[in-house]
């Protein structure tokens, strides 16, 4: 059974800092990996999707990397801003008929002005 | 920009009552998912539809939960009777066709259920 782990559960940083959020998964036979953002009491917003054959994806100040063989992904946020404060969830898909996402518990990020 | 619609946004009910949630996926999306997210946890899949057919309902508590997508478009998730442990956020997501390599899942705003 696939398990996704995100540590630490919470992180507080000063504005302007570059930061890395970590995600690990137990079964390397994934189809793709997605990073989501969730604001309190809201739904999920997709940030980046990485195919299993890719190493990284970039969108603006965000960069996500994937090392399938070691079961790890990182989300890099450059020049963090208070508006980046949210919970960041990592999820993996098995693909095909098993396209459901298996999520980690998320990392709650607070960016202090 | 097209979005996944869900209603109601909030629902408060007493235990043993029946509740129903509605989801309208992005137009043209064949795959629809219902997830449940308990506070402080990641979402967990309850049921997955491909068009009007159920693909995966292995985690759906079938003694009290039911889901349907009769015309392969919008979907309803029902709980009867509701229990205290059902208090959670219920999220609906859709994708163009589940299983594609680049198939992003798009999530709705969710329904926050509180069972008293």
């Amino acid at each position: 059974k696939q398990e996704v782990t995100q540590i630490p559960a919470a992180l507080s940083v000063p504005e302007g800092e570059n930061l890395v959020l970590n995600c690990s998964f137990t079964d390397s036979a994934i189809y793709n990996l997605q990073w989501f953002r969730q604001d309190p009491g809201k739904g999920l917003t997709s940030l980046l999707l990485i195919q299993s054959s890719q190493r990284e994806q970039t969108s603006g100040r965000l960069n996500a990397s994937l090392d399938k063989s070691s079961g790890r992904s990182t989300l890099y946020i450059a020049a963090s801003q208070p508006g980046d404060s949210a919970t960041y969830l990592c999820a993996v898909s098995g693909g095909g008929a098993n396209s459901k996402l298996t999520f980690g518990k998320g990392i709650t990020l607070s960016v202090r002005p | 920009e097209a979005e996944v619609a869900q209603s109601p946004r909030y629902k408060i009910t007493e235990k043993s009552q029946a509740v129903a949630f509605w989801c309208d996926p992005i137009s043209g999306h064949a795959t629809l998912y219902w997830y449940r997210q308990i506070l402080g946890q990641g979402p967990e899949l309850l049921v997955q539809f491909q068009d009007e057919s159920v693909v995966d309902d292995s985690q759906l508590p079938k003694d009290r939960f039911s889901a349907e997508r009769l015309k392969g478009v919008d979907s309803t998730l029902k709980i009867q009777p509701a229990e205290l442990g059902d208090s959670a956020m219920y999220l609906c997501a859709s994708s163009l066709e589940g299983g594609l390599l680049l198939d992003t899942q798009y999530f709705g705003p969710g329904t926050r259920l509180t069972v008293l």
Side-chain angles (χ1 to χ4, degrees):
Chain A
K1 178 184 173 184
Q2 178 74 267
E3 292 184 1
V4 179
T5 302
Q6 294 183 256
I7 297 173
L11 187 63
S12 180
V13 300
E15 181 177 4
E17 190 163 300
N18 301 324
L19 57 101
V20 173
L21 306 181
N22 293 306
C23 170
S24 62
F25 46 94
T26 55
D27 185 350
S28 62
I30 65 168
Y31 208 53
N32 59 46
L33 181 146
Q34 279 187 255
W35 281 93
F36 293 88
R37 169 184 172 140
Q38 186 173 33
D39 292 292
K42 305 292 186 181
L44 278 66
T45 300
S46 179
L47 297 174
L48 290 164
L49 180 149
I50 311 177
Q51 299 177 49
S52 59
S53 60
Q54 294 180 315
R55 299 286 290 182
E56 63 180 303
Q57 280 288 337
T58 298
S59 176
R61 294 184 294 110
L62 305 179
N63 176 278
S65 67
L66 174 64
D67 184 343
K68 205 172 77 160
S69 61
S70 68
R72 295 176 189 270
S73 175
T74 61
L75 179 67
Y76 175 83
I77 303 176
S80 59
Q81 304 170 358
D84 294 330
S85 299
T87 297
Y88 291 82
L89 295 112
C90 163
V92 296
S93 168
N98 187 24
S99 62
K100 71 176 184 183
L101 291 171
T102 300
F103 284 85
K105 292 183 179 181
I107 298 174
T108 299
L109 172 66
S110 175
V111 181
R112 308 186 301 272
Chain B
E1 181 175 305
E3 297 180 339
V4 176
Q6 288 188 249
S7 67
R9 294 292 310 279
Y10 305 92
K11 180 70 178 178
I12 299 175
T13 190
E14 294 185 346
K15 63 180 182 179
S16 80
Q17 296 298 304
V19 292
F21 314 132
W22 177 79
C23 172
D24 191 13
I26 293 173
S27 178
H29 280 196
T31 308
L32 185 147
Y33 309 82
W34 282 101
Y35 291 86
R36 177 170 62 183
Q37 185 179 26
I38 296 169
L39 194 62
Q41 305 289 317
E44 291 187 334
L45 182 75
L46 290 174
V47 62
Q48 175 184 343
F49 289 93
Q50 183 71 26
D51 298 309
E52 67 275 8
S53 300
V54 173
V55 174
D56 184 351
D57 64 356
S58 58
Q59 299 303 309
L60 188 72
K62 298 182 187 63
D63 57 335
R64 297 185 301 107
F65 286 63
S66 64
E68 60 183 15
R69 194 183 183 198
L70 292 175
K71 296 182 179 179
V73 181
D74 58 341
S75 175
T76 302
L77 178 70
K78 297 179 181 177
I79 308 175
Q80 182 174 16
E83 296 181 352
L84 296 178
D86 296 332
S87 294
M89 175 78 87
Y90 290 82
L91 295 162
C92 179
S94 71
S95 65
L96 195 58
E97 186 171 341
L100 294 179
L101 202 60
L102 291 175
D103 209 14
T104 300
Q105 291 189 25
Y106 297 90
F107 282 76
T111 296
R112 168 70 68 187
L113 173 66
T114 301
V115 182
L116 303 176

